[in-house]
Amino acid sequence: MQLIPENAQKVDVEGATVDFYKFEKDGITYYAFDTSRCGPPEPMVNAMAGLKLITAPNVKLIMINHKMPMGLLNKIEENYDIEKEELPDGRVKLVFSYRPGKSEEANLNDSSCHG
């Protein structure tokens, strides 16, 4: 299953420990990363780095992970709109979107993982 388009461009993201990719579709800029082969705290660390890129309604972040990142969701669920999808292979796909007036309030400097 191809979750990140082949034409996506690899980009550097400050603080990230996995590759991030950027692509555009229907006027939306997407950043995407895959931590499905990583253990804690890498999913949290990379999600926090990626969420810093979501500064407008036309920018979204896609996270592929081996399970639902409950520690992450508990920290930022009130600050972002999040679409959650369980994939046929058991992984999960989350799409984080900007929430006006709330995303700015997220504490993205705490990447410690307790879950």
Side-chain angles (χ1 to χ4, degrees):
M1 172 182 278
Q2 182 71 32
L3 297 171
I4 299 173
E6 289 185 22
N7 64 346
Q9 301 287 317
K10 186 175 171 182
V11 294
D12 290 327
V13 174
E14 185 176 343
T17 62
V18 297
D19 291 338
F20 271 68
Y21 296 89
K22 178 180 177 182
F23 63 96
E24 292 190 18
K25 181 179 178 185
D26 300 328
I28 305 290
T29 299
Y30 290 89
Y31 291 92
F33 68 98
D34 184 343
T35 50
S36 62
R37 295 179 182 260
C38 301
E42 285 195 82
M44 175 76 76
V45 167
N46 288 284
M48 291 300 196
L51 287 169
K52 292 176 182 174
L53 303 170
I54 304 176
T55 56
N58 63 342
V59 181
K60 297 180 184 259
L61 177 68
I62 299 172
M63 175 185 193
I64 308 299
N65 203 34
H66 62 286
K67 66 177 185 176
M68 200 61 70
M70 297 311 295
L72 171 67
L73 295 176
N74 289 337
K75 286 186 180 188
I76 54 92
E77 200 160 32
E78 293 179 6
N79 303 103
Y80 296 91
D81 291 323
I82 306 169
E83 299 171 39
K84 304 167 193 160
E85 179 182 355
E86 292 190 21
L87 302 173
D89 62 6
R91 294 181 298 168
V92 295
K93 174 182 175 183
L94 296 99
V95 181
F96 299 91
S97 301
Y98 181 80
R99 184 180 285 180
K102 292 291 186 182
S103 294
E104 297 86 351
E105 298 174 357
N107 178 7
L108 301 178
N109 295 316
D110 179 11
S111 61
S112 62
C113 184
H114 304 288

